[in-house]
Amino acid sequence: MTTGLIPGGQNPDPRPTGGLPQQRHEPVGQAALHVDNRSRSSVITARAAASFEPVGRSVATARSFVRDTLQGWGFADIVDDAVVLTSELVTNAVVHAGTSADVLCLRSDDGVRIEVADRYPEREIPLQGQAVNMGNLDREGGRGLQLCAALAGRWGVDYTPTQKQVWFQLDLPERRVGTRTAGPSLPADLLPLADGRVRVAVVQIDRTCAITSWNEDAEELFGYAAEQVIGKPLTDLAAWPHTPGTSTGIAEALQLSRWEGSYGIRAANGRITSVYASHLRVRDTGGEPSTVCLLVRDHERAVLQTPLRGAASDTNTSSDGQSTDPFEVFIGSPAPDDLDGLLQRTVERARDMLDGDSAFLLLATDDETELEVRASTGLPSARQRFARVPVEAGPGRYSSARMPAVHDDLSAVPGAVPLLSGTGMRSVVTVPLKVEGRLTGSLGVAAEGPGRYSNEEALRLQFAADRIALAVESARLGELERLRRGSLSFLVEASDLLAGTLDRDQTLALMAQMTVPTLATWCAVYTIADPSSDPYLSYVLHEDEELIDGIKSLLSKIQPPDPVPTPGARVWSAPGEAAHQAALRSSMRSLGLNGGPTRQLASGIGPTLATASAVGGETVVLPLVARNRVIGMLTLGKPADEHFRQEILELAEDLSRRAALALDNARLYSERTAISQSLQRSLLPPELPEIDGVEVEVIYRAAGEGNEVGGDFYDLFPISDGAYGFAIGDVCGTGPNAAAVTGLARHALRLLAREGLSGPAVLERLNNAILDEGARSRFLTLLYGELWPQEDGSARLKVVCAGHPLPLRLRQDGTVEPAAEPQPLLGVMDDLELYEQTVTLDPGDVLLCVTDGVTERREGTRMLGDDGLADVLTTCTGLTAGAVAARIMRAVERFASDAPSDDMAILAMRVPGLQRD
């Protein structure tokens, strides 16, 4: 069956426009008085269409379609006539003619028009004015036209070569002004209960989900003045039930033409008010759509929805003699296509069938040891949803959900049905839902009076449960499959995000943001530094940012959960108890019961009560275990009177394992980075000495993320009175082995130079020391020199360049030239013959020494090189040593867009002279 609903607009002509001209068959005799003149002047305000296959059950489906459509339009007065006529006409099409049937319902201001068309290919087209044989009243078929003539205000038949269409018009009876529909008179004790005056909040939402209207009852129910909420999205206030991969979101629900259901509104005091809502999509005269939301408290839903409460018939036979589906008899057609809708329809029909005050349905867990509340009516659903009760509550029959049970008076056996404790229900009947002998759930109906149910009602309810058990199990498996897919997608995304960072604080933030609000309303992460440390509250998050500080303050005042390594979620009652006590103390202070002034404490009442409501629900703790050690706990919480469902806890457990490993990796990375940075700093001189008559500047940039020790180093140190040694080198590779050679080189240079050895002798002995390292040895490029400032303002240098980039000398006239000749590098051969070269820096001259990270800077196939470095240095005439080093570094960084792949060290020495303007 396919259906469609098009509200508003003019009546579209449902007849085919192609083919032969249509002929109208006008019945003769008395029936001719009811033939319409085919006037199309009335305005069609809604249109619903459906197609039905040529099978027997389509008749019942068509009846349900017409009944639901007309009841939705408010035409309850003509529903029965319309259903009878539709049943006969569809029977003629799908049973007798054996073709599919198209049903079209058109709503106008004065009534409804229903058209039924079949596609019987062989028929004689009657002549104009030919007498019509209405058929024998005793025949099984052929009564459709007779019923149309008897019941319809106007009717007719249209023929085409491939289609016959019978239509009838039912006019609305005259009603008194203001009457739309009415029900029977009921005794006062059967009327729905309401606590005092019933308040109906009327809220209007524009196409962007922003609130445009907020009436006085809404202010009273939720505590917000109109000016506080108008313009804000409804999604900021709605506590919409959400499960990954399943159900409809509030944004989607507001786009539907009509929607009814339960959710929560976060009131001004922070509490969640459970409401039953009826959404109606409308448009103004300018064509702008909006949604009108009628909201009442959930236990007063009878204000918006008053289902029939009469006993249903157990017959499974339709008026045409065809057997109907028992499932459709109980649930109705079309059946909801989602699990929540099916379960809600089930409890409502079960309550109506037994004329109860409430009903509930629980689904069994995979191991059949517990039942989880999934739908209820007449009960505080927000408090009961996803609550769990054991399947076997005791040794007797009445304590097991596997058998039908009837309790005449719950007040005589307190706690017999934990779900109904404190609800005022006295009598209850429960039956199991079983599929192939396996318990899949439990269905119950309760009443406020005692002794309402007997074994007869239990048998009727069991019969209904047997009809729906398979459909419920199929829908549950479908939901689990969607949840599994959503969970896999959620875990894949979470793994990618957690793997993308090695920062501890960011890992904690990601962990919390992935759980709120997808898995929980709030969460807290405790970390444990080492096995001897106590858990520390490291991060707190709530979906309402204004409550974060209050929750953090509350949790800091109670003992953290025990770091138990046992996998799985365990309930932690301490936050809820502490929140309850804090709210109680705040309320007592507000009443002046503690003897203190009320006025001074009033400002703290709101946040305390809001915090208590936020953490007053179920709280669970999951251990964060990595490498066989508990490194923290992930705490998840719900607001007051809410519970976690098992699938969410299993998903949270999977997330906690991934988060724990990511958190431990971040810890290890932080420790390794700290060690590497400490070692790198130890390989560089703590500070440079000041040399009279010579400016010195050093810039060092380590490549990578700081977790690898580089091989570049520099040093400048005094040797004797008036003499200084300087060095800049690069050890092959990175890591511990390179760091060992770097430390050996820097410290050996100082020791050997202070022994009075010449530069070549110092490097020869260092070469031997490196070779003695054996497999740990690394070759080393090194520029070593000794500097003597002169009385005339110049500086004399002796340098040895062992395989290192040559030092460059910048003269005052802007010329650049190498200040040394290349010689063999260290750590490769035993016998080295090195020599030193003398260089004199005149006033204004600069000596630039760099590592190969500078000269080998690349951009694609281009490399800066020695020539490029010399070109940059020519522009530095007259600059101080610090300015020269800074300009060289800027030029190197701008040469390529990528981050440097090698360490870089720059040592600039300048003999001061006259600076240019």
Side-chain angles (χ1 to χ4, degrees):
M1 183 191 79
T2 58
T3 63
L5 178 62
I6 307 174
Q10 297 292 327
N11 175 26
D13 193 345
R15 298 171 295 172
T17 58
L20 297 176
Q22 300 177 26
Q23 300 183 20
R24 183 175 67 252
H25 177 220
E26 301 180 357
V28 297
Q30 183 178 2
L33 298 176
H34 301 283
V35 176
D36 191 13
N37 59 4
R38 308 296 292 170
S39 173
R40 296 286 181 146
S41 60
S42 61
V43 176
I44 301 302
T45 58
R47 176 181 183 270
S51 298
F52 304 93
E53 298 298 326
V55 293
R57 64 177 295 177
S58 293
V59 179
T61 307
R63 289 198 299 268
S64 298
F65 163 69
V66 173
R67 179 183 294 107
D68 293 343
T69 299
L70 268 59
Q71 285 181 343
W73 290 347
F75 291 167
D77 296 334
I78 60 175
V79 166
D80 293 336
D81 290 346
V83 169
V84 170
L85 294 178
T86 302
S87 178
E88 290 296 332
L89 297 177
V90 174
T91 300
N92 290 339
V94 302
V95 176
H96 302 302
T99 75
S100 60
D102 297 331
V103 179
L104 176 66
C105 300
L106 301 172
R107 183 182 69 181
S108 62
D109 297 334
D110 55 354
V112 65
R113 173 190 174 102
I114 298 179
E115 301 176 355
V116 180
D118 63 43
R119 297 182 177 86
Y120 188 59
E122 299 177 359
R123 65 164 53 90
E124 178 183 358
I125 299 177
L127 299 177
Q128 180 74 18
Q130 179 181 355
V132 177
N133 182 7
M134 301 296 288
N136 190 335
L137 294 177
D138 296 329
R139 292 176 55 192
E140 178 183 359
R143 299 193 301 265
L145 298 182
Q146 291 177 327
L147 289 173
C148 288
L151 300 178
R154 292 179 295 279
W155 65 277
V157 184
D158 291 335
Y159 285 99
T160 70
T162 60
Q163 188 180 56
K164 183 183 80 172
Q165 178 178 275
V166 181
W167 60 270
F168 59 88
Q169 176 88 23
L170 295 175
D171 297 327
L172 293 177
E174 294 185 2
R175 305 188 182 99
R176 293 188 299 272
V177 175
T179 301
R180 174 68 181 268
T181 184
S185 300
L186 293 176
D189 57 348
L190 296 181
L191 295 175
L193 290 174
D195 299 337
R197 173 175 172 247
V198 176
R199 297 188 179 275
V200 181
V202 181
V203 182
Q204 193 156 3
I205 313 297
D206 62 16
R207 69 163 66 230
T208 64
C209 293
I211 299 173
T212 59
S213 178
W214 186 269
N215 72 339
E216 293 181 358
D217 279 0
E219 296 182 4
E220 183 67 26
L221 283 176
F222 309 125
Y224 299 105
E227 57 269 15
Q228 292 180 277
V229 296
I230 289 180
K232 294 184 177 180
L234 181 63
T235 53
D236 289 354
L237 305 180
W240 194 263
H242 175 69
T243 302
T246 64
S247 71
T248 300
I250 184 172
E252 291 82 359
L254 291 173
Q255 298 299 318
L256 299 177
S257 59
R258 182 181 293 274
W259 183 90
E260 290 190 14
S262 299
Y263 53 90
I265 296 293
R266 186 175 294 102
N269 61 4
R271 294 181 177 272
I272 302 297
T273 301
S274 298
V275 298
Y276 190 82
S278 177
H279 297 174
L280 178 64
R281 191 81 164 158
V282 298
R283 59 187 173 92
D284 59 19
T285 55
E288 180 68 18
S290 62
T291 302
V292 177
C293 304
L294 305 179
L295 311 175
V296 298
R297 288 177 293 184
D298 190 66
H299 63 274
E300 296 175 340
R301 68 170 58 186
V303 176
L304 300 183
Q305 183 190 62
T306 307
L308 299 176
R309 297 172 64 85
S313 174
D314 290 335
T315 179
N316 292 335
T317 305
S318 64
S319 60
D320 59 3
Q322 300 292 324
S323 177
T324 58
D325 188 348
F327 173 76
E328 290 187 355
V329 170
F330 183 71
I331 293 297
S333 179
D337 57 359
D338 63 302
L339 179 62
D340 289 338
L342 177 60
L343 299 182
Q344 192 62 37
R345 178 85 65 90
T346 298
V347 295
E348 291 173 356
R349 293 295 172 90
R351 181 194 65 179
D352 298 341
M353 184 178 71
L354 299 187
D355 195 23
D357 295 304
S358 64
F360 51 89
L361 192 149
L362 304 89
L363 295 183
T365 55
D366 293 337
D367 57 4
E368 297 183 20
T369 60
E370 290 183 306
L371 295 169
E372 187 178 60
V373 180
R374 291 300 304 272
S376 64
T377 181
L379 297 174
S381 58
R383 176 170 65 89
Q384 304 294 347
R385 186 169 172 82
F386 301 125
R388 290 196 166 199
V389 296
V391 171
E392 307 289 347
R397 168 195 170 188
Y398 291 101
S399 300
S400 174
R402 302 182 187 277
M403 299 291 292
V406 177
H407 292 274
D408 290 332
D409 193 350
L410 292 177
S411 62
V413 281
V417 183
L419 184 65
L420 301 179
S421 299
T423 61
M425 300 298 160
R426 299 281 297 277
S427 54
V428 61
V429 53
T430 60
V431 296
L433 275 68
K434 294 184 177 181
V435 176
E436 298 179 350
R438 181 173 59 86
L439 180 70
T440 60
S442 177
L443 177 63
V445 178
E448 295 179 348
R452 288 282 298 274
Y453 302 116
S454 63
N455 289 339
E456 180 181 355
E457 282 80 9
L459 291 175
R460 293 180 61 199
L461 188 61
Q462 184 67 71
F463 178 80
D466 293 341
R467 303 286 78 75
I468 66 167
L470 185 60
V472 169
E473 180 66 6
S474 176
R476 186 183 74 89
L477 293 177
E479 182 195 58
L480 289 177
E481 177 63 18
R482 291 191 297 272
L483 180 62
R484 184 187 67 84
R485 293 180 181 178
S487 300
L488 289 176
S489 177
F490 172 79
L491 290 175
V492 168
E493 182 180 0
S495 299
D496 289 343
L497 290 174
L498 291 172
T501 178
L502 289 171
D503 181 82
R504 175 183 176 276
D505 294 337
Q506 189 174 2
T507 302
L508 291 172
L510 285 174
M511 198 186 313
Q513 291 166 7
M514 285 184 292
T515 58
V516 177
T518 304
L519 305 181
T521 305
W522 64 272
C523 84
V525 183
Y526 291 86
T527 57
I528 302 175
D530 54 72
S532 61
S533 301
D534 293 329
Y536 174 75
L537 182 61
S538 299
Y539 202 91
V540 175
L541 184 65
H542 191 281
E543 61 182 6
D544 186 352
E545 295 182 357
E546 296 180 356
L547 298 177
I548 294 177
D549 292 337
I551 296 176
K552 187 181 299 184
S553 175
L554 179 70
L555 294 179
S556 63
K557 295 177 182 178
I558 62 178
Q559 288 293 327
D562 296 330
V564 178
T566 306
R570 69 181 192 275
V571 177
W572 185 30
S573 59
E577 295 173 355
H580 175 74
Q581 294 298 327
L584 182 61
R585 289 193 300 269
S586 178
S587 299
M588 294 179 64
R589 287 197 302 267
S590 67
L591 297 174
L593 299 180
N594 61 344
T598 303
R599 178 172 49 84
Q600 297 179 0
L601 298 168
S603 60
I605 294 174
T608 302
L609 295 178
T611 303
S613 177
V615 301
E618 187 176 47
T619 303
V620 297
V621 178
L622 297 104
L624 298 175
V625 181
R627 297 174 176 89
N628 299 321
R629 186 174 73 87
V630 180
I631 63 171
M633 284 89 69
L634 176 62
T635 303
L636 306 180
K638 287 282 190 179
D641 299 328
E642 288 197 22
H643 299 267
F644 287 98
R645 57 185 303 181
Q646 183 62 26
E647 293 83 358
I648 295 298
L649 294 180
E650 293 173 355
L651 182 59
E653 186 177 356
D654 286 339
L655 176 63
S656 67
R657 286 195 291 266
R658 290 165 170 79
L661 188 58
L663 185 61
D664 200 46
N665 288 340
R667 178 187 63 83
L668 294 175
Y669 180 82
S670 299
E671 292 177 357
R672 181 178 178 182
T673 300
I675 293 173
S676 298
Q677 292 175 347
S678 177
L679 179 57
Q680 185 73 68
R681 287 192 296 269
S682 70
L683 300 178
L684 301 175
E687 59 183 12
L688 297 178
E690 294 185 0
I691 303 176
D692 293 337
V694 178
E695 299 174 359
V696 179
E697 182 66 26
V698 175
I699 297 179
Y700 180 83
R701 294 284 189 272
E705 300 179 358
N707 61 345
E708 288 287 348
V709 180
D712 290 12
F713 70 96
Y714 64 88
D715 202 357
L716 179 64
F717 54 91
I719 298 176
S720 59
D721 294 340
Y724 296 87
F726 65 91
I728 184 168
D730 184 4
V731 177
C732 174
T734 58
N737 290 336
V741 176
T742 301
L744 172 64
R746 193 173 76 83
H747 295 294
L749 285 175
R750 289 197 173 205
L751 291 174
L752 295 173
R754 287 170 178 172
E755 290 295 325
L757 299 177
S758 64
V762 169
L763 268 59
E764 288 170 1
R765 284 168 173 74
L766 175 59
N767 179 65
N768 294 332
I770 294 174
L771 293 176
D772 289 341
E773 291 292 311
R776 295 185 302 173
S777 66
R778 292 286 189 275
F779 66 79
L780 167 67
T781 67
L782 180 65
L783 173 65
Y784 173 74
E786 297 176 354
L787 179 147
W788 291 270
Q790 303 298 308
E791 295 181 357
D792 59 358
S794 63
R796 184 167 60 89
L797 292 85
K798 292 183 178 181
V799 297
V800 180
C801 186
H804 199 76
L806 300 178
L808 298 179
R809 176 183 181 180
L810 171 65
R811 295 183 181 274
Q812 278 192 316
D813 58 4
T815 59
V816 175
E817 59 184 6
E821 296 177 352
Q823 300 185 57
L825 51 80
L826 307 182
V828 177
M829 60 184 70
D830 293 332
D831 297 328
L832 291 180
E833 295 183 0
L834 303 175
Y835 57 92
E836 60 186 7
Q837 297 173 271
T838 302
V839 180
T840 300
L841 296 181
D842 297 325
D845 289 355
V846 175
L847 183 70
L848 178 66
C849 309
V850 300
T851 58
D852 60 3
V854 174
T855 57
E856 295 180 1
R857 178 72 163 150
R858 294 181 180 273
E859 174 70 16
T861 59
R862 298 185 307 119
M863 186 173 71
L864 180 63
D866 296 334
D867 294 338
L869 179 63
D871 292 340
V872 177
L873 185 58
T874 57
T875 65
C876 299
T877 305
L879 299 181
T880 63
V884 170
R887 178 171 293 187
I888 297 297
M889 180 57 70
R890 285 197 303 270
V892 172
E893 291 175 344
R894 293 172 181 173
F895 184 80
S897 57
D898 296 337
S901 58
D902 194 5
D903 298 341
M904 294 184 293
I906 300 174
L907 172 61
M909 295 183 290
R910 177 177 180 270
V911 177
L914 296 176
Q915 297 185 3
R916 297 180 181 179
D917 296 334

